[in-house]
């Protein structure tokens, strides 16, 4: 009998008509994968093969809008989901009403896989596990309409003890890349470890998800600089690592981000499905994507009623030439601009998902801008060498480290948020920095947009942060930190940013998720932290705040 190896993951749910969805699975052999809903809706797809693994993205049609659709998964006709004797409620596809004006978006990033049940967890309760347990205990409870996972869904460079034991049984860990993953098969181990967690598996089967990678999905500080890339490409193991990382990301994360219409016109998806083994085709694609950032676009757009999400690739599309550094290449930057400015007046809220925060604590922002100037050579070759060493050691590679890109994004946000058809809010959603905060930029007099603009940062879902780094982040918001930052910018001979900002909430440390409830032209933010409770865990709400204002009219 064909077995279900991974999934199901409920990925795309249609918000235009509420009649379709996609469900992702991995089987242990070639087969026909099918989703059957209790009311007769459903769909099927043949698996496609990559590196000996068998996957399907099942299009589900015939759904009724504004309904819950319990479903099961069958492989070659045999039911494989729900699991026998499962303690979780049946997985459902919840469809919106065609005129729905409310969407709940939960988001976070940076998740180490939780340890096996019964084993101690050194970094505390997992926020996704805790959310899943709460929803499973009360299926009628309010739940997210979509879960945004903003990077580091797996850690290719920081493996668990169990994975290190598994790797050691395959190869000699004294050889590079040591206890990091080396190839596609080892990447699949990371996804099994993360997504076979019983709570997370059930959660992802019943709450739609949208994802984007960050550095640890490939390697820490991926694409920090041109010299970093030259150095890493000189190693004997990197080529297999980057190709496997991009291939596994395309299979496990990227495909599910796309709508059925986008999938229908995707030439790679069609080619992989039409051949008995798509490994070589996908490998050629990954080779081209790594060699040329403009070869493909990982960014994508989703519309949830009158809320528009633009999920931005802030890793693979970088331009790293030191004199022309850019977070996004020309085509990617134009795509973002086109999507943000498309059909003004048709959306009430604009969400820009980028794994890396746009607005950092002011000292850290200034330090990254100063470092970028040093590396550009404004203080000479000696300072440039020092700047590159510091950039790598201190992870100075956020939007602030790409000053021109920072300014372009700032101008774009202001333009999208200005005018009679401006949205009520523009929220930049980010993770990466292992704490949560909110901050609102302030423009010079007369230049403020009509929309309320916020940087909302939430991380980690399940990870840790050293005490000295916590102190550094707190100091980064302080007046003393600002003074140091201003001194650095003077030394780097760089202009001040066009906007100023201060901490409006946080920093909060712990395993956590933020949720935005967007209703008509109002917005509410909630921050929940996972905390131990007896033998289990609970989500405690540490912030609940209305975000919408009408000051700029």
């Amino acid at each position: 009998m064909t077995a279900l190896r991974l999934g199901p993951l409920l990925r795309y749910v249609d918000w235009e008509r509420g009649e379709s969805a996609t469900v992702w699975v991995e089987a242990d052999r070639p087969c026909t994968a099918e989703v059957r809903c209790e009311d007769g809706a459903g769909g099927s797809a043949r698996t496609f093969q990559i590196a000996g693994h068998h996957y399907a993205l099942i299009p589900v049609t015939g759904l009724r809008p504004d309904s819950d659709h319990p479903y099961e998964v069958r492989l070659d006709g045999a039911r494989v989901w729900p699991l026998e004797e499962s303690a979780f409620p049946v997985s459902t596809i919840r469809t919106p009403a065609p005129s729905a004006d409310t969407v709940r978006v939960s988001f976070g990033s940076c998740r180490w896989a939780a340890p096996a049940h019964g084993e101690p967890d050194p970094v505390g309760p997992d926020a996704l596990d805790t959310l899943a347990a709460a929803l499973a205990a009360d299926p009628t409870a309010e739940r997210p309409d979509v879960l945004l996972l903003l990077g580091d869904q797996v850690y290719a460079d920081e493996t668990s003890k169990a994975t290190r034991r598994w790797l050691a049984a395959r190869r000699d860990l004294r050889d590079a890349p040591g206890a990091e993953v080396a190839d596609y098969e080892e990447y699949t181990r990371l996804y099994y470890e993360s997504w076979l967690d019983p709570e997370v598996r059930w959660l992802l089967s019943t709450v739609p998800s949208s994802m984007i990678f960050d550095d640890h999905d490939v390697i820490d500080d991926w694409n920090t600089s041109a010299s970093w890339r030259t150095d890493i490409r000189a190693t004997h193991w990197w080529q297999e690592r980057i190709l496997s990382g991009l291939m596994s990301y395309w299979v496990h994360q990227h495909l599910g981000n796309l709508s059925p219409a986008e999938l229908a016109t995707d030439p790679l998806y069609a080619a992989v499905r039409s051949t008995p083994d798509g490994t070589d085709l996908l490998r050629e694609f990954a080779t081209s994507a790594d060699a040329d950032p403009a070869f493909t676009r990982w960014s994508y757009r989703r519309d949830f009623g009158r809320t528009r999400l633009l999920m931005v690739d802030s890793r693979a599309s970088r331009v790293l030439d030191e004199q022309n550094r850019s977070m996004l290449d020309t085509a990617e930057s134009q795509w973002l601009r086109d999507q943000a400015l498309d059909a003004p007046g048709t959306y009430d809220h604009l969400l820009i998902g980028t794994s890396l925060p746009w607005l950092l604590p002011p000292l850290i922002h200034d330090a990254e801008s100063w470092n970028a100037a040093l590396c550009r050579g404004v203080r000479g070759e000696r300072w440039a060498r020092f700047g590159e060493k510091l950039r790598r050691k201190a992870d100075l590679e956020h939007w602030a480290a790409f000053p021109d890109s920072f300014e372009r994004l700032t101008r774009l946000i202001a333009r999208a948020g200005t005018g009679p058809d401006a949205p009520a809010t523009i929220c930049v959603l980010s993770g990466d920095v292992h704490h949560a905060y909110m901050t609102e930029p302030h423009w010079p007099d007369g230049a403020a947009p009509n929309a309320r603009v916020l940087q909302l940062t939430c991380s980690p879902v399940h990870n840790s942060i050293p005490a000295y780094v916590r102190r550094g982040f707190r100091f980064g918001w302080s007046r003393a930190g600002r003074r140091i930052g201003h001194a650095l910018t003077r030394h780097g001979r760089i202009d001040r940013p066009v906007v100023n900002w201060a901490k409006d909430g946080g920093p909060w440390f712990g395993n956590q998720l933020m949720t935005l409830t967007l209703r008509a032209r109002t917005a509410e933010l909630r921050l929940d932290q996972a905390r131990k409770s007896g033998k289990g865990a609970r989500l405690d709400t540490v912030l609940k705040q209305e975000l919408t204002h009408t000051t700029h009219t």
Side-chain angles (χ1 to χ4, degrees), residues 18 23 51 167 185-186 190 202 205 237 255 276 322 354 452 470:
V23 174
L167 293 173
E185 185 64 29
E186 293 178 6
L190 299 183
W202 175 79
S205 77
W237 54 271
L255 279 180
E322 210 60 67
T354 167
R452 188 176 189 193
R470 296 187 185 202

Side-chain angles (χ1 to χ4, degrees), residues 139-463:
T140 65
E142 178 183 289
R143 76 185 195 192
D145 292 302
V146 64
L147 183 63
L148 305 185
L149 301 178
L150 294 169
D152 298 344
Q153 277 70 261
V154 295
Y155 278 72
D157 54 346
E158 297 180 28
T159 55
S160 67
K161 290 182 179 179
T163 293
R164 290 195 294 272
R165 290 193 295 268
W166 183 85
L167 293 173
R170 293 190 85 225
R171 55 182 172 82
D172 190 341
L173 299 190
R174 292 172 296 184
D175 298 330
E180 302 179 14
V181 302
D183 58 25
Y184 187 92
E185 185 64 29
E186 293 178 6
Y187 262 103
T188 66
R189 163 74 187 192
L190 299 183
Y191 284 102
Y192 293 153
E193 186 176 47
S194 185
W195 290 355
L196 287 177
D197 173 323
E199 286 80 11
V200 167
R201 189 179 194 182
W202 175 79
L203 180 70
L204 294 178
S205 77
T206 205
V207 175
S209 55
S210 296
M211 310 180 188
I212 196 70
F213 47 40
D214 198 21
D215 54 344
H216 291 286
D217 291 273
V218 176
I219 193 170
D220 189 25
D221 301 336
W222 176 29
N223 283 343
T224 290
S225 66
S227 66
W228 177 92
R229 182 182 283 178
T230 297
D231 290 347
I232 200 76
R233 284 179 170 176
T235 65
H236 72 274
W237 54 271
W238 173 248
Q239 181 73 355
E240 188 60 37
R241 167 73 155 271
I242 184 61
L243 297 188
S244 298
L246 293 176
M247 291 169 66
S248 63
Y249 175 78
W250 185 87
V251 169
H252 293 83
Q253 299 190 49
H254 178 68
L255 279 180
N257 293 330
L258 305 181
S259 69
E262 290 169 319
L263 290 167
T265 59
D266 188 302
L268 177 61
Y269 184 56
V272 164
R273 294 180 66 209
S274 66
T275 185
D277 187 343
T279 307
D280 290 343
L281 289 172
L282 185 54
R283 190 176 182 87
E284 291 171 7
F285 167 86
T287 301
S288 298
D290 177 51
D292 178 9
F295 176 75
T296 193
R297 190 183 74 241
W298 302 105
S299 302
Y300 58 95
R301 168 177 160 178
R302 289 292 318 274
D303 290 302
F304 304 97
R306 290 184 62 85
T307 294
R308 179 174 299 173
L309 167 68
L310 304 179
M311 195 75 95
V312 181
D313 162 23
S314 50
R315 282 291 171 187
S317 66
R318 294 179 175 186
V319 177
L320 298 178
D321 172 39
E322 210 60 67
Q323 302 305 316
N324 299 285
R325 274 170 66 85
S326 180
M327 183 69 83
L328 310 177
D329 63 40
T330 301
E332 193 85 5
S333 184
Q334 186 63 49
W335 176 88
L336 177 60
R337 181 180 179 83
D338 290 345
Q339 300 305 314
L341 301 180
D342 180 41
T346 63
Y347 60 93
D348 294 322
H349 304 277
L350 176 61
L351 308 180
I352 300 176
T354 167
S355 62
L356 303 175
W358 164 52
L359 301 179
L360 290 162
L363 170 57
I364 299 174
H365 175 97
D366 290 342
E368 294 203 6
S369 299
W370 164 73
N371 177 263
L374 295 186
C375 294
R376 206 165 51 243
V378 299
R379 284 288 183 176
E381 185 176 341
R382 181 180 174 186
W383 277 102
R385 290 195 300 270
F386 167 77
E388 178 62 25
K389 290 179 181 178
L390 180 62
R391 175 159 58 190
R392 297 194 197 186
K393 187 174 182 62
D395 297 351
L396 304 181
E397 40 98 39
H398 299 80
W399 283 89
F402 298 79
D404 290 344
S405 297
F406 176 89
E407 294 296 337
R408 281 195 296 271
L409 180 58
T410 302
R411 291 194 299 269
L412 175 60
I413 288 171
R415 179 169 176 183
T418 300
D421 293 324
T425 66
I426 299 177
C427 295
V428 180
L429 314 181
S430 306
D432 180 69
V433 292
H434 289 209
H435 68 291
Y437 62 89
M438 59 182 293
T439 184
E440 180 175 7
H442 299 281
W443 274 261
D445 290 345
N450 301 91
R452 188 176 189 193
V453 178
L454 291 161
Q455 168 72 64
L456 303 176
T457 303
C458 185
S459 169
V461 169
H462 184 239
N463 209 309

Side-chain angles (χ1 to χ4, degrees), residues 504-522:
D504 291 282
W508 295 282
F509 298 96
N511 295 327
Q512 49 205 345
L513 288 168
M514 278 184 173
T515 299
L516 278 170
T517 300
L518 306 166
R519 180 179 292 109
R521 291 185 66 83
T522 69

